[in-house]
Amino acid sequence: MNSFLLTNATLPGGSASDILIVDGRFAQVAPNLALSQDGTARVLDLTGCVLLPGFVDLHTHLREPGREDAETVASGSRAGAKGGFTALSAMANTFPVADTAGVVEQVFRLGKLCGLLDVFPIGAVTQGIAGKHLAELGAMADSAAHVRVFSDDGNCVFDPMVMRRALEYVKQFGGVIAQHAQEPTLTQGAQMNEGIVSSRLGLKGWPAVAEEAIIARDVLLADHVQSRVHICHLTTAGGVEIVRWAKARGIQVSAEVTPHHLLLTDEKAISFDPIYKVNPPLRTHSDVMALREGLADGTIDIVATDHAPHPNENKECEWQEAAFGMLGLETAYSILQATMIDTKLMGWSDLADRMSTAPARIGGYSQQGQGLTVGGPAHLVAVNPHKSWTVDRDLLQSRSRNTPYHGIELPGQVVATFFNGIPTLLEGELTTEVSAHG
Amino acid sequence: MSVALPAVDIARALTRISHEILEKNNGSASIVLLGIPTRGAHLAQRIAATIAAIEGTPVSVGTLDITLHRDDLRMRPPRPLMTTMIPASGIEGMNVVLIDDVLYSGRTIRAALDALGEVGRPKTVQLAVLVDRGHRQLPIRADFVGKNLPTSINQSVRVHVVEIDGVDEVLIANEGEVR
Amino acid sequence: MKHLLSISDLSHGDALSILDTAHEMARVSSSSVKKLPTLRGRTIVNLFLEDSTRTRISFEAAAKRLSADVINFSAKGSSVSKGESLKDTAQTLQAMGADAVIIRHSASGSAQWLADSHWMSGIVINAGDGTHEHPTQALLDAFTIRRHLGAGSGDLQGLTIAIVGDVLHSRVARSNVLLLSLLGASVVLVAPPTLLPVGVESWPARVSYDFDSVLPEVDAVMMLRVQQERMNDYFFPTAREYSHYFGLNRDRLALMKRSAIIMHPGPMNRGLEITAECADSARSVIVEQVTNGVSVRMAVLYLLLAGLPTEFGGVDA
């Protein structure tokens, strides 16, 4: 028997409780469990910590296969565990693209092998994420990887007929299309948000309308064919408005926001430091405020990291030459605490929903996002909101260094992560049995 | 800090220098007076006025900024450039009299000679200073001196002129004294 | 200020100090003197990763008149065209002991990026970065305007200057809007809406789509180069239509004040944004802009390189 007793922690609802984990499941959730124990369970004193269901990321770039210099399934899993995640969703834009059962099964198996958390592959919508011909969505759904989320992320499924067919096709197995909303002709060569800052910096603008036009089109298409669409990394106030409108109409749309879009603005580009170059781009302060409001009121369903590792050489160059993207897994919780909890926009239960329950539901991950319920799989994260830490890019678990928070002190620390009742992180450090992997 | 030369002595010295310049150059016809900014330029104007009064005819006068020729540029923050104003008649074949407030290491005058070389080829170059405080670092001497002031290396000499400072005086300060 | 990267780094006093220094440099250069010893022993690298013969030559002349050693490093035939990164190039220049790097690059922000990197400790001077800024061009333009329309000293208070054409893609326009407004001038941007950036309303300048209505009030009109290729990106229908509405020609010349001057940063597209007649007219100061460019660049090199590193504003009397 493998058992852990977590004591003196606070549940998302605010009550103090102990939690007993036995053989990978939550055995008891109640106060003062310590008194009734026989002493075989390993006791962890979590005074000052809040217990949340293990975080589920619906948008992660693990780069394997093809760009193992940037990240691997194993290194990405370690970064995930460090950040409090018990499930990641591996984006399809790898080399080769995850557009066949073979590739998604490979990624799925690599995740299993690592064993730190669940790795759910996302399948490409179109072959080679080229936007022309549908990939074998059925075969990927039927594979061992059991794919339910499909996305050409990195590219927009731009052709409206292709998008329509994809939305229709995935209905047969309850799939969802996760759209990277970016009108390509309006964003050719675009470098940053189009507005006051871009006008001064002389960097080619990326208008909000290029994102919003696709969101508007796709919610209408989803409505028309009665299917599910998920909007990846929403960044604009207008996009929030469209999703809010669509939801009010009963359209099956869900949306995500990244931690960095909840915090950073296009003013960061004034430094011309490509660490802030990301797709979609950092927007304005009023967009950030609208995103926070949308996440708080549920218009935006989930937080997803869009963790996008890149090797140094793709960031140590001129802005326009640099790659888009930034790391997210290991800092996601702290950014959420800073932007949503410490600002009193959301409570812990809301955070549990946006980072665990809702993403698991959208992805169809039945063994994730079950909360801290007795009998359920023991996926759990303990965070200490009172402890701050300073980000050091050289100490990250990710293979890459492209965090925008290097040297910055962030509030809140992930103290422990449990995956299926096994601690992958204890006292803020990856557990030894885990570090041995990959 | 003490006054080494009051206004009345300065006026007397400048008048004497004016007479000496005229005497040495047999009148004012061949003379070009070039003051080294900033205070040397004002002294040059005064000497020019005195000479004009004595001779009854104007004398050529201008300014010569030596900043771009200094050998100590890198030892201090960048200095603003001062005006160089060479009289329209030029200096070719003329007797140029450089005029400065204090002669000390001689480096300013060395730079002035370099700067002058860029402008043209005078017949002679002479030097007039209000104060010679000694401690030369280069083989340079003045032709006309208002006052020889023996100083220690730790002292500093400050010339004030009415046009800039509101008063004519030469001050000597010991090291550490507020100037 | 250690570098010259953007006009936005300059204070009013800094800008005037550069113009005043350029004024003295111009006097020196106009005498028979062609060489001053001021920067003897200093090594300046002209890192030109985008073709611009005129700007490179201007900087080279300025540096040589101040006796600096100049190394020209152009993209053609250099390692950059073979895929070497700017980082490697910067480290190479550092290893060679460059005191200053004058960089011209097609990427916006590359000068600032080079200055902020830890790969090089030398002074960085922006000679044009993408569509961002070209500070020395703006300084030479302001200098030229001051000589003709100001007292030759002080700032540009009370003057109105039109900047006409492809503002969207123009680093010259960006630097000039900042500098001319800093110096107290009123700036009018004249262009079709397609060639003005979104966000231009935040600039310290007014916008007009009607060239003819602006001309009678301006003291200087600065024409920007328009690339014919822009036509293919839908910025305007045809070159003919562009010239008709936004080109400077004989009829428009007649609308200008008698004292108003014509400027162009070059190289010109004669017949597109400006007719040959206007470019060569007595009002045109285009050739003089080139001459002033050397004086202004001498001033910048002097202020940044001659003394101990410090602020422009910290000049020591």
Side-chain angles (χ1 to χ4, degrees):
Chain A
M1 193 175 79
N2 196 350
S3 58
F4 289 87
L5 178 64
L6 315 184
T7 62
N8 302 318
T10 305
L11 296 180
S15 57
S17 178
D18 294 350
I19 287 190
L20 182 66
I21 296 169
V22 179
D23 289 339
R25 297 197 169 261
F26 292 118
Q28 290 184 73
V29 179
N32 305 319
L33 288 177
L35 305 173
S36 59
Q37 289 307 301
D38 56 6
T40 57
R42 188 169 159 195
V43 180
L44 253 71
D45 182 358
L46 293 175
T47 304
C49 289
V50 177
L51 295 184
L52 298 164
F55 298 148
V56 176
D57 191 16
L58 205 62
H59 195 145
T60 326
H61 294 277
L62 292 178
R63 303 290 187 224
E64 191 174 2
R67 285 308 300 268
E68 290 83 354
D69 56 326
E71 197 77 285
T72 62
V73 173
S75 67
S77 294
R78 285 198 299 274
K82 189 87 196 278
F85 289 87
T86 54
L88 304 180
S89 308
M91 267 300 170
N93 61 340
T94 48
F95 301 94
V97 170
D99 57 359
T100 61
V103 178
V104 293
E105 285 190 348
Q106 180 197 353
V107 172
F108 184 68
R109 260 197 303 277
L110 287 167
K112 283 275 180 225
L113 199 67
C114 185
L116 280 178
L117 39 66
D118 282 328
V119 174
F120 299 113
I122 290 175
V125 178
T126 63
Q127 295 171 25
I129 58 171
K132 300 280 185 226
H133 308 284
L134 288 188
E136 291 182 352
L137 307 180
M140 289 189 275
D142 268 350
S143 73
H146 209 72
V147 177
R148 287 297 178 272
V149 183
F150 298 91
S151 181
D152 277 2
D153 183 68
N155 293 340
C156 180
V157 181
F158 175 52
D159 185 327
M161 186 53 91
V162 173
M163 186 62 181
R164 175 200 167 136
R165 294 294 181 236
L167 285 167
E168 288 175 312
Y169 197 79
V170 297
K171 284 168 71 177
Q172 58 185 310
F173 40 79
V176 61
I177 305 295
Q179 175 69 295
H180 173 119
Q182 179 189 350
E183 214 283 352
T185 60
L186 282 173
T187 53
Q188 244 171 34
Q191 297 293 320
M192 66 171 295
N193 179 52
E194 183 166 25
I196 288 170
V197 180
S198 69
S199 81
R200 291 182 176 222
L201 299 186
L203 287 173
K204 194 155 185 210
W206 187 311
V209 61
E211 180 171 328
E212 292 155 1
I214 296 296
I215 298 173
R217 182 198 75 178
D218 288 353
V219 296
L220 293 173
L221 277 176
D223 190 24
H224 183 62
V225 302
Q226 287 296 296
S227 184
R228 277 209 297 156
V229 65
H230 175 75
I231 308 300
C232 294
H233 41 51
L234 203 72
T235 67
T236 72
V240 177
E241 277 308 301
I242 295 166
V243 171
R244 193 172 280 138
W245 171 86
K247 286 190 165 180
R249 295 245 307 199
I251 296 171
Q252 300 176 69
V253 57
S254 55
E256 71 189 32
V257 63
T258 72
H260 47 272
H261 288 113
L262 288 172
L263 180 67
L264 307 174
T265 68
D266 61 352
E267 302 263 330
K268 287 289 180 193
I270 292 171
S271 67
F272 283 110
D273 185 344
I275 201 76
Y276 301 111
K277 183 176 177 181
V278 64
N279 175 353
L282 301 176
R283 304 287 189 185
T284 66
H285 179 72
S286 59
D287 291 310
V288 166
M289 290 300 130
L291 292 171
R292 290 183 187 183
E293 190 194 335
L295 184 64
D297 71 18
T299 302
I300 298 172
D301 302 78
I302 66 167
V303 173
T305 64
D306 196 5
H307 177 81
H310 290 290
N312 286 355
E313 57 268 29
N314 291 353
K315 283 290 189 183
E316 285 183 339
C317 54
E318 302 87 324
W319 181 286
Q320 70 183 40
E321 308 299 326
F324 288 100
M326 47 180 70
L327 300 182
L329 287 172
E330 295 173 67
T331 49
Y333 165 70
S334 290
I335 303 302
L336 261 291
Q337 184 187 319
T339 56
M340 303 302 291
I341 300 287
D342 291 350
T343 55
K344 311 242 183 284
L345 290 168
M346 282 190 351
W348 296 107
S349 309
D350 302 318
L351 188 72
D353 176 69
R354 309 298 190 274
M355 292 191 75
S356 179
T357 317
R361 183 180 65 237
I362 293 166
Y365 307 153
S366 58
Q367 291 305 299
Q368 290 281 342
Q370 301 296 300
L372 308 175
T373 48
V374 173
H379 305 312
L380 171 126
V381 52
V383 298
N384 187 337
H386 312 294
K387 215 166 166 181
S388 62
W389 62 297
T390 300
V391 181
D392 181 343
R393 62 187 167 213
D394 294 323
L395 298 180
L396 296 177
Q397 293 298 322
S398 171
R399 280 206 161 182
S400 292
R401 301 276 172 273
N402 56 312
T403 174
Y405 310 114
H406 176 65
I408 293 175
E409 185 174 326
L410 297 178
Q413 202 175 25
V414 178
V415 174
T417 310
F418 280 75
F419 173 60
N420 279 323
I422 308 291
T424 54
L425 186 81
L426 283 177
E427 289 171 15
E429 301 292 333
L430 292 180
T431 54
T432 46
E433 55 266 49
V434 166
S435 303
H437 286 279
Chain B
M1 191 156 53
S2 60
V3 177
L5 221 55
V8 58
D9 288 357
I10 292 175
R12 200 175 292 130
L14 292 177
T15 305
R16 179 170 50 75
I17 288 172
S18 303
H19 280 285
E20 287 174 3
I21 290 172
L22 280 172
E23 188 179 348
K24 173 155 181 161
N25 294 288
N26 299 318
S28 67
S30 66
I31 296 173
V32 177
L33 303 175
L34 290 180
I36 296 172
T38 42
R39 286 173 182 77
H42 292 292
L43 298 179
Q45 287 298 337
R46 291 200 211 168
I47 290 171
T50 306
I51 288 177
I54 296 166
E55 294 287 288
T57 169
V59 62
S60 283
V61 60
T63 56
L64 182 69
D65 180 41
I66 54 102
T67 310
L68 292 169
H69 297 269
R70 297 188 78 109
D71 62 4
D72 63 347
L73 282 171
R74 283 196 207 185
M75 293 151 76
R76 296 175 55 182
R79 305 153 191 257
L81 299 187
M82 299 296 161
T83 302
T84 293
M85 177 63 75
I86 305 297
S89 51
I91 62 167
E92 211 64 34
M94 304 289 274
N95 294 310
V96 168
V97 183
L98 296 172
I99 297 167
D100 204 0
D101 52 356
V102 179
L103 178 59
Y104 182 27
S105 68
R107 285 174 190 274
T108 300
I109 303 307
R110 200 253 343 131
L113 291 170
D114 283 354
L116 206 55
E118 307 285 1
V119 179
R121 188 178 180 284
K123 183 173 172 214
T124 65
V125 181
Q126 300 157 31
L127 174 61
V129 296
L130 181 58
V131 173
D132 182 350
R133 62 165 292 191
H135 305 290
R136 213 77 75 243
Q137 294 167 1
L138 295 172
I140 280 171
R141 64 163 181 80
D143 299 279
F144 315 102
V145 178
K147 169 96 174 168
N148 281 299
L149 270 185
T151 57
S152 100
I153 196 101
N154 295 327
Q155 289 176 313
S156 69
V157 175
R158 223 40 186 184
V159 172
H160 287 163
V161 295
V162 163
E163 295 89 333
I164 299 170
D165 312 293
V167 59
D168 277 350
E169 60 184 2
V170 176
L171 302 173
I172 295 188
N174 289 315
E175 193 176 23
E177 276 186 292
V178 184
R179 287 189 301 219
Chain C
M1 198 186 63
K2 185 186 172 192
H3 312 284
L4 179 61
L5 307 173
S6 161
I7 296 295
S8 61
D9 300 334
L10 300 181
S11 68
H12 184 265
D14 294 336
L16 280 185
S17 149
I18 297 172
L19 297 187
D20 291 345
T21 304
H23 183 72
E24 296 304 326
M25 290 295 182
R27 281 171 184 269
V28 174
S29 309
S30 64
S31 68
S32 59
V33 186
K34 290 298 177 207
K35 209 163 168 100
L36 295 158
T38 317
L39 296 182
R40 197 177 287 151
R42 298 274 172 141
T43 302
I44 296 174
V45 176
N46 264 329
L47 181 61
F48 274 58
L49 303 177
E50 183 187 67
D51 257 356
S52 173
T53 310
R54 47 174 64 217
T55 304
R56 183 179 59 73
I57 288 177
S58 181
F59 269 110
E60 189 171 346
K64 284 185 168 166
R65 280 189 199 173
L66 293 172
S67 301
D69 295 319
V70 181
I71 298 170
N72 284 310
F73 191 115
S74 314
K76 249 180 212 150
S78 78
S79 42
V80 172
S81 57
K82 294 174 206 149
E84 186 181 82
S85 74
L86 190 49
K87 174 180 175 177
D88 295 325
T89 305
Q91 287 174 333
T92 304
L93 299 179
Q94 171 75 8
M96 293 192 317
D99 294 301
V101 173
I102 296 164
I103 180 174
R104 170 70 156 246
H105 197 300
S106 59
S108 299
S110 48
Q112 185 180 324
W113 183 80
L114 187 64
D116 290 346
S117 76
H118 305 295
W119 307 312
M120 220 197 64
S121 60
I123 290 160
V124 177
I125 296 173
N126 184 359
D129 61 329
T131 53
H132 177 223
E133 283 212 39
H134 193 352
T136 57
Q137 176 71 41
L139 286 161
L140 78 89
D141 289 338
F143 182 78
T144 305
I145 292 168
R146 194 171 82 155
R147 286 207 130 183
H148 279 272
L149 303 168
S153 62
D155 62 15
L156 305 178
Q157 204 79 42
L159 297 178
T160 301
I161 292 140
I163 301 176
V164 186
D166 187 357
V167 174
L168 179 62
H169 300 97
S170 176
R171 51 190 167 215
V172 175
R174 280 179 180 77
S175 286
N176 260 308
V177 166
L178 293 175
L179 182 62
L180 297 177
S181 62
L182 179 67
L183 292 173
S186 153
V187 181
V188 195
L189 300 170
V190 182
T194 46
L195 290 175
L196 290 165
V198 167
V200 73
E201 66 281 357
S202 70
W203 292 15
R206 186 150 69 80
V207 168
S208 171
Y209 308 135
D210 183 355
F211 197 5
D212 290 349
S213 73
V214 166
L215 279 167
E217 56 167 315
V218 302
D219 299 292
V221 54
M222 192 180 290
M223 303 305 298
L224 300 173
R225 178 178 168 80
V226 172
Q227 274 155 0
Q228 303 243 18
E229 306 90 80
R230 303 288 179 217
M231 233 160 39
N232 308 327
D233 294 328
Y234 323 114
F235 288 106
F236 48 88
T238 61
R240 198 170 52 240
E241 177 158 323
Y242 180 85
S243 299
H244 181 71
Y245 290 106
F246 298 99
L248 189 61
N249 53 32
R250 182 190 309 179
D251 295 341
R252 293 207 163 98
L253 199 59
L255 295 176
M256 292 167 63
K257 289 184 197 170
R258 286 192 154 275
S259 58
I261 56 172
I262 297 169
M263 308 175 75
H264 194 300
M268 287 181 275
N269 283 310
R270 286 171 184 255
L272 181 50
E273 72 264 8
I274 186 167
T275 61
E277 188 182 355
C278 293
D280 301 332
S281 81
R283 310 275 192 87
S284 166
V285 296
I286 295 169
V287 176
E288 194 192 316
Q289 285 175 272
V290 178
T291 312
N292 293 339
V294 177
S295 303
V296 163
R297 288 171 179 126
M298 285 172 78
V300 167
L301 291 175
Y302 169 72
L303 290 170
L304 285 179
L305 270 136
L308 280 175
T310 182
E311 309 273 319
F312 266 138
V315 284
D316 187 303

